Amino acid sequence: MQNVTKLGPNRFEQGLVWIMPALVGAAIGWFLPAIVDFLLRMPFLSSQGILLLIDSFSPLFVSIAGVAVGILLGLLLSTAAFHESLVVDVSDTDVIVMKNNKQRKFLKKDIYAVFVEEKSLVILGPNGKELYRETIDVKQDKVEQAFWHHRYPWVESDPFANAYRLWTLSDEACGEAANKVLYSRRIALREEEREQAERLREDLRELGIAVKDKGEEQYIRFM
């Protein structure tokens, strides 16, 4: 059986993620009649149709229905949180990363360096090509121990850090295609569309450009 080290939320954290949103939702649902009554006492909310509709039912019915809906919404929130969490399986031969129901595999022989930067796990391939960059909710020392244990080329910092420079609209070195992608990605960052920003990061990798963010600013290097 292959020796695998899993990096991701532990059982206690998983339990909290499943239980806490459901408990909060249930509590809000149980006290929904009192919350509605309080809101209806406010002059600017006293004529709101949805509040009057809820108030027309018996308090016990509203509480029971509120608890059921609250638990359901809490579980949906927990499911979304798990999909957003990065899980990494590290073995002696490969690294498997899983997030948003998507899985990628990197063979050990193709990995040049591994490190954590600004809470992101970064995997570099031959010639410094960036293979992967994603936020990981695991302490850095635990991540480091896992990769050292399986004898991966762990480094303390990005060996190509000095090659990055700030991208601007007037950047002519990138080429028209890359500039269009970087501009679209800047808009995605400003509008907090994380999935779109990550898809555009993949497009930039195909164009031979690695990118990392500092707020809404993008720093790039050629690979």
Side-chain angles (χ1 to χ4, degrees):
M1 184 176 179
Q2 191 175 28
N3 181 24
V4 177
T5 302
K6 184 177 290 291
L7 298 171
N10 57 41
R11 290 183 179 180
F12 176 73
E13 292 169 336
Q14 291 178 17
L16 286 180
V17 171
W18 279 117
I19 293 172
M20 291 306 297
L23 286 179
V24 172
I28 294 174
W30 181 255
F31 290 105
L32 187 58
I35 295 171
V36 170
D37 183 64
F38 173 77
L39 293 175
L40 286 174
R41 295 174 186 274
M42 298 181 178
F44 57 92
L45 292 176
S46 59
S47 61
Q48 292 296 314
I50 185 65
L51 295 178
L52 292 172
L53 177 62
I54 295 173
D55 192 53
S56 67
F57 294 97
S58 71
L60 180 59
F61 173 81
V62 172
S63 290
I64 293 174
V67 168
V69 173
I71 291 175
L72 177 60
L73 292 176
L75 291 176
L76 289 175
L77 181 62
S78 298
T79 301
F82 274 114
H83 286 170
E84 285 289 321
S85 297
L86 176 65
V87 177
V88 183
D89 286 347
V90 186
S91 73
D92 292 337
T93 58
D94 56 53
V95 177
I96 298 175
V97 295
M98 293 160 285
K99 183 175 181 179
N100 292 325
N101 292 325
K102 296 179 181 179
Q103 178 175 298
R104 294 183 64 185
K105 180 177 181 178
F106 304 99
L107 297 178
K108 185 177 187 178
K109 66 183 181 63
D110 296 329
I111 296 177
Y112 167 78
V114 186
F115 58 95
V116 170
E117 181 179 59
E118 299 292 332
K119 298 183 178 180
S120 290
L121 175 66
V122 184
I123 301 175
L124 302 182
N127 302 318
K129 180 179 175 62
E130 185 179 282
L131 302 177
Y132 193 74
R133 179 184 290 266
E134 186 59 72
T135 301
I136 184 168
D137 297 320
V138 179
K139 291 182 178 179
Q140 181 170 336
D141 59 348
K142 186 175 180 180
V143 178
E144 181 178 353
Q145 288 171 10
F147 281 96
W148 271 119
H149 175 71
H150 294 279
R151 299 184 180 181
Y152 281 81
W154 178 269
V155 295
E156 293 300 321
S157 59
D158 188 349
F160 299 95
N162 293 332
Y164 282 88
R165 58 182 176 81
L166 177 64
W167 174 79
T168 63
L169 279 172
S170 59
D171 196 321
E172 297 180 354
C174 294
E176 183 178 355
N179 277 331
K180 286 182 178 179
V181 177
L182 284 161
Y183 180 71
S184 297
R185 192 170 183 276
R186 186 175 73 173
I187 294 175
L189 290 173
R190 288 179 174 177
E191 296 179 355
E192 298 184 354
E193 297 177 353
R194 290 180 294 176
E195 290 187 11
Q196 175 67 1
E198 288 308 308
R199 284 194 291 267
L200 293 171
R201 185 198 297 277
E202 289 294 331
D203 292 343
L204 289 167
R205 286 196 184 111
E206 293 180 6
L207 293 171
I209 295 176
V211 59
K212 56 184 177 182
D213 310 318
K214 292 184 180 180
E216 296 177 0
E217 295 183 330
Q218 302 177 94
Y219 287 78
I220 63 171
R221 72 172 173 87
F222 297 100
M223 298 186 291

